[in-house]
Amino acid sequence: MEMERCLILAGGGARGAFQVGALQFLQEMGWKPEMICGSSVGAINAAAIGSGTDLDELARLWRSFDRHKIYKITLKKFILTFLGGRKFNPVMDTGPLRAMLTEHINMEALRKSRTEIIVTAVNMLTSELRYFDNRVINVEHIMASSAMPMFFPYQFIDGEPYWDGGVMANVPIMPALKRGAKEIIVVLLSPVGVFKQPLPRTHADIRELILEHFLIGSYNTLCCNLSCENVRIAFVAPTRMLGLRSLLNFSPDQSEKLIQEGYDNAREQLSQFFGQ
């Protein structure tokens, strides 16, 4: 079945607050998608919206975050298993994230959502990229989609181990194209791929640019090999490099700043899309 509008929410860790601001602008413009596809933190935001969480509430939630509400650092265990060749332990324990999702995402409401929600995850054994819709999504699917390799623990779905969908599709646009969406708005969490960047000059610049290329790579590769002549695609993205630390900086200060930037950037970057 074809659809008119689809929203794509990219992955990017704690940068996900940016998407809330962009969504606030889209709501003001009356642009309501029939499908929302998300990877990693984009999957968390997508599931929250699909479960009926309004944007004011979602913004308040992001502004309340600190690291302790998302993860606990288990670096000592990670180092011991890394050096000792024992069973893998991730750098972080995401028990707090699971508790937060369980408390704030109404799974029953998500199942009944009129907006189709798609989240991605990668099967670690087969390397298969899977798209799960809201008819089956539960906390494990959302945790799997946001399970950054090495940092967060992988999750089991139907007995199979899965981790971050962003590994293979950080910008999960394929479901929208397959369904023949006429309008697609993509909310990225990196300026790379949208705005030309200066030549990196330091080792830190190189490391950052490698990561940013990873965040946009799946989308650029896909769109270079597909004809999108009958689709209106628009982008919202940060206009500045956010830095590696921003990925795990779940703090009220960063969230507040990114929510505002998301709103302001969406208003500016989508002005032509909405004929303003």
Side-chain angles (χ1 to χ4, degrees):
M1 181 185 299
E2 292 188 352
M3 61 177 56
E4 289 295 321
R5 297 172 173 175
C6 185
L7 176 67
I8 311 297
L9 301 178
R15 299 176 184 180
F18 179 91
Q19 294 173 341
V20 179
L23 290 169
Q24 288 174 333
F25 174 76
L26 293 178
Q27 180 174 269
E28 286 185 9
M29 299 305 297
W31 193 88
K32 184 176 176 61
E34 297 157 78
M35 172 191 280
I36 305 175
C37 304
S39 280
S40 201
V41 74
I44 293 175
N45 283 334
I49 295 166
S51 72
T53 304
D54 65 53
L55 292 180
D56 289 340
E57 182 182 350
L58 188 57
R60 283 194 297 272
L61 188 59
W62 270 97
R63 292 186 181 106
S64 75
F65 284 162
D66 61 40
R67 175 188 51 94
H68 302 286
K69 293 184 179 180
I70 305 299
Y71 60 84
K72 299 176 183 177
I73 295 176
T74 56
L75 186 58
K76 183 178 180 180
K77 286 184 179 180
F78 172 79
I79 292 174
L80 288 174
T81 58
F82 181 78
L83 296 178
R86 303 173 186 173
K87 182 179 178 182
F88 169 75
N89 268 303
V91 177
M92 297 160 186
D93 172 6
T94 51
L97 174 60
R98 176 181 291 274
M100 185 274 293
L101 293 175
T102 301
E103 179 181 356
H104 292 284
I105 295 184
N106 184 330
M107 291 298 168
E108 183 177 351
L110 181 60
R111 299 263 193 278
K112 299 177 181 177
S113 174
R114 298 183 66 179
T115 303
E116 186 174 0
I117 306 297
I118 304 287
V119 305
T120 65
V122 175
N123 186 311
M124 296 171 61
L125 303 183
T126 66
S127 298
E128 178 187 8
L129 174 65
R130 293 284 304 276
Y131 298 99
F132 299 98
D133 66 27
N134 51 293
R135 292 173 297 180
V136 301
I137 292 171
N138 57 31
V139 171
E140 277 65 38
H141 295 84
I142 303 170
M143 292 287 292
S145 185
S146 55
M148 290 185 283
M150 301 295 287
F151 290 95
F152 289 0
Y154 50 80
Q155 305 292 316
F156 283 89
I157 299 172
D158 297 328
E160 294 281 302
Y162 285 82
W163 61 16
D164 203 319
V167 170
M168 297 184 70
N170 197 55
V171 187
I173 197 171
M174 181 61 83
L177 297 175
K178 284 186 174 181
R179 291 283 294 275
K182 302 297 189 298
E183 293 183 354
I184 300 174
I185 292 180
V186 182
V187 186
L188 301 170
L189 298 178
S190 168
V192 172
V194 179
F195 303 107
K196 188 174 181 179
Q197 301 300 309
L199 185 69
R201 299 187 178 279
T202 67
H203 286 85
D205 291 342
I206 292 287
R207 289 195 300 270
E208 184 176 8
L209 189 57
I210 289 171
L211 172 69
E212 305 301 331
H213 281 167
F214 164 77
L215 294 178
I216 194 64
S218 62
Y219 171 76
N220 278 353
T221 301
L222 176 62
C223 284
C224 284
N225 292 285
L226 285 177
S227 172
C228 299
E229 295 178 0
N230 299 318
V231 186
R232 292 181 69 206
I233 301 181
F235 305 91
V236 181
T239 57
R240 63 185 178 92
M241 295 289 269
L242 299 177
L244 295 178
R245 292 183 179 179
S246 67
L247 291 169
L248 292 170
N249 180 18
F250 291 92
S251 69
D253 287 345
Q254 174 169 286
S255 293
E256 181 66 43
K257 182 179 293 186
L258 289 180
I259 289 171
Q260 188 62 52
E261 287 186 32
Y263 178 87
D264 292 341
N265 291 3
R267 182 176 59 184
E268 179 178 349
Q269 295 167 23
L270 295 177
S271 59
Q272 186 175 356
F273 184 85
F274 287 111
Q276 295 180 323

